[in-house]
Amino acid sequence: MNKDEAVALLSKSEAPIVAIILGSGLGLLTEAFTDKKHVKYDEIDGFPQSTVEGHSGQFVTGRLMGVRVIAAQGRFHYYEGYNLKQILSLVDFFHAMRIKELVISNAAGLINTDYHVGEIFGISDCLDFTGQAAAAGELSLCRISEKEQSIMTKAAESIFKKLVFGKYVWTTGPSYETPAEIRYFRSLGGDLVGMSTMPEIIKARSLGMQVYPFSVATNFASGISGNALSHDEVKETAETIKSHFASLISELVNLIGKQNFDI
Ligand code: HPA
């Protein structure tokens, strides 16, 4: 099918109002969806494919807390050889569905040693270490508004203590960073590091969406713990946190749904 047919199929009967991009190992959330429908990325002509383990490569629609949602299980990164337009194809797809509320998640390395691996953070702003972010849109759009932050904070209140907001540093990969780069990022105010999310935030907000970005700290960033970093460690930590993460996102979707019904 082509992209328009996929949009029509996934919007049929009732269109989703919230979209969720699920990071590495965080796909469990869709198990809580009712009335599920899915379309695999490889069923859509010309759509990029997920090549990373832990990213299954499909859209799943359904209801979460009674709210119509669509999740992207799997995203696209520079380190897979994709260009910026391909990296942004999930956001473009959600825009074609007229979605105005986007939850973004990722697995990230933790730079700020005041915190712990396994914790979930809100992202309040980003630093670009790829030199590519401005091609996604106006960089100032990356700053998450007080309103967006307050809904994220409220969702977290009922699940765990206070949500901490951090600055996310975007790198291209495919390699993890050097210890010296991580010390440099810390000196610039970076708290988390990862290979996604920043261009998605900028693009989605330039299209008028409200964006709620989260990082799951799956490992200490390079050079902090002395252990070698691996994608297996990232997946293992994501595995231990995924039910906690699912509760947080469910509560957030509940609040966003309420806000939309109030309008
Ligand atoms: N660096 C970059 N990306 C990541 C990391 C990291 O330490 N952990 C998970 N994604």
Side-chain angles (χ1 to χ4, degrees), residues 24 79 106-110 168-169 171 173 175-177 182 192-196 216-222 229-231 234:
S24 280
Y79 64 78
N106 62 55
L110 185 58
Y168 178 91
V169 184
T171 58
S175 165
Y176 292 115
E177 301 68 33
I182 296 300
L192 298 145
V193 57
M195 304 175 193
S196 66
V216 172
T218 49
N219 55 280
F220 272 118
S222 178
L229 306 188
S230 73
H231 189 56
V234 170

Side-chain angles (χ1 to χ4, degrees), residues 115-176:
Y115 299 101
H116 305 279
V117 167
E119 287 186 85
I120 301 174
F121 296 83
I123 297 172
S124 55
D125 207 342
C126 301
L127 293 139
D128 179 22
F129 200 64
T130 72
Q132 305 295 317
E138 173 58 45
L139 288 178
S140 61
L141 288 169
C142 205
R143 183 132 180 263
I144 300 304
S145 71
E146 303 251 312
K147 185 175 165 218
E148 289 158 324
Q149 290 193 36
S150 81
I151 300 176
M152 293 163 74
T153 301
K154 196 161 171 215
E157 263 164 19
S158 57
I159 311 297
F160 52 92
K161 49 185 184 359
K162 201 173 155 38
L163 183 67
V164 173
F165 283 86
K167 310 275 185 298
Y168 178 91
V169 184
W170 181 32
T171 58
T172 56
S175 165
Y176 292 115

Side-chain angles (χ1 to χ4, degrees), residues 27-45:
L28 172 90
L29 182 71
T30 60
E31 283 177 20
F33 290 11
T34 55
D35 304 330
K36 263 189 269 195
K37 251 190 308 202
H38 63 84
V39 169
K40 293 201 181 316
Y41 299 158
D42 65 10
E43 294 175 75
I44 307 171
D45 304 335

Side-chain angles (χ1 to χ4, degrees), residues 41 48-57 73-82 231:
Y41 299 158
Q49 304 305 314
S50 281
T51 65
V52 193
E53 223 189 304
H55 284 267
S56 61
Q73 280 180 322
R75 58 148 68 84
F76 315 111
H77 310 81
Y78 271 127
Y79 64 78
E80 297 169 275
Y82 289 122
H231 189 56

